[in-house]
Amino acid sequence: MTDTFFEMKDINKYYQMGEEQAHILKDIDLSIEQGEFLSILGPSGSGKSTLMNIIGCLDVPTSGEYVLRGTEVDTLSEKELAQIRSREIGFIFQSHQLLPRLTALKNVELPLIYAGVSPRERRRRAKEMLIRVGLEDRMNHYPNQLSGGQCQRVAIARAMVGSPSILLADEPTGALDQKTGRQVMELFHELHQEGRTIIMITHDMHIAQNARRVVHIIDGELTEGGGTADA
């Protein structure tokens, strides 16, 4: 393996289904440089969710090598995987997954609580992130007092607050209307321009084309596409 920011080599994933083994990911090779904006594009059942789970250290491959910032992820214990998730990866999900009884500010603070950051510092950093995503006047609102787009911006702030090396977004506009989805993509472009590394998983070609580089996954096999976002 080379000493790159992110590299997968010969990744395979099998699941036992009764007496049969389902081959979900097939010899996946994928390298990402720091600061890239990558889309992984594929239809339902293509293996993209399984690949996302392995990238996000929520699962491990059956075989192959995965190195993230010099760490061989595929060799780690469950506890070590949890530490990698906390330190290196900011997750953004389609359904934003905010806790309904917490304000926007408290939702953004959550990763810092788990990381052991002091109350004063985590409040400062959470406020900074909410200002960054344009929600300075919504910090004390609860999720049911926010629009879908505002909830997704809270989720993005929560993903960024721990300064992860990768933002991993799973269908980040899937639950949003077209206009709000464009606003979220504009925020992703701003984050990318600041040097953030973004990996976005989607089934939507139009959303995928926001990235500077697109790879396609079909039937568990990965092929390079073309990045089409404006320079």
Side-chain angles (χ1 to χ4, degrees):
M1 300 290 286
T2 58
D3 186 21
T4 58
F5 175 73
F6 170 113
E7 187 169 11
M8 289 182 159
K9 185 69 174 174
D10 296 327
I11 293 292
N12 285 272
K13 184 65 179 181
Y14 294 88
Y15 286 114
Q16 196 70 35
M17 303 182 71
E19 296 182 358
E20 301 291 327
Q21 270 198 336
H23 195 180
I24 307 301
L25 298 179
K26 304 169 183 176
D27 299 318
I28 298 288
D29 291 341
L30 180 63
S31 296
I32 298 169
E33 299 300 323
Q34 190 162 4
E36 271 203 77
F37 186 178
L38 171 77
S39 281
I40 299 173
L41 175 66
S44 177
S46 62
K48 66 182 186 297
S49 294
T50 301
L51 180 57
M52 182 203 74
N53 288 339
I54 292 174
I55 292 171
C57 301
L58 296 167
D59 198 359
V60 293
T62 305
S63 64
E65 296 177 280
Y66 174 19
V67 175
L68 175 59
R69 290 182 53 156
T71 298
E72 295 186 18
V73 175
D74 46 289
T75 67
L76 300 181
S77 67
E78 285 293 334
K79 182 177 181 180
E80 290 168 329
L81 286 171
Q83 291 171 342
I84 285 282
R85 288 195 298 270
S86 175
R87 185 174 69 246
E88 302 287 1
I89 300 166
F91 292 93
I92 303 165
F93 299 101
Q94 176 177 336
S95 58
H96 56 72
Q97 297 189 359
L98 302 181
L99 295 184
R101 296 191 178 186
L102 296 183
T103 63
L105 184 64
K106 292 295 185 183
N107 266 287
V108 176
E109 284 185 41
L110 277 176
L112 302 180
I113 293 174
Y114 300 140
V117 177
S118 70
R120 183 175 181 177
E121 175 64 10
R122 67 181 183 241
R123 186 175 181 85
R124 182 192 70 78
R125 287 165 63 177
K127 283 183 175 181
E128 184 179 276
M129 284 298 103
L130 284 168
I131 291 169
R132 174 66 188 79
V133 300
L135 292 177
E136 58 270 22
D137 59 344
R138 295 290 189 272
M139 292 187 184
N140 295 313
H141 286 58
Y142 292 88
N144 66 1
Q145 298 172 315
L146 301 172
S147 69
Q150 288 169 338
C151 284
Q152 193 63 300
R153 284 173 178 266
V154 174
I156 293 169
R158 181 181 59 190
M160 293 193 304
V161 75
S163 298
S165 59
I166 291 175
L167 291 178
L168 182 58
D170 180 22
E171 303 282 6
T173 64
L176 304 176
D177 61 65
Q178 196 170 44
K179 179 181 177 182
T180 307
R182 283 197 302 268
Q183 292 171 347
V184 169
M185 284 297 100
E186 287 169 5
L187 179 55
F188 274 34
H189 283 296
E190 291 174 16
L191 296 172
H192 174 243
Q193 289 167 4
E194 293 173 0
R196 305 267 182 175
T197 304
I198 302 171
I199 301 175
M200 182 169 63
I201 289 86
T202 183
H203 70 280
D204 188 326
M205 173 67 80
H206 296 294
I207 295 299
Q209 288 175 339
N210 281 275
R212 298 302 174 94
R213 176 181 164 210
V214 179
V215 296
H216 299 260
I217 185 166
I218 299 176
D219 294 331
E221 298 181 346
L222 203 66
T223 58
E224 288 281 343
T228 59
D230 294 334

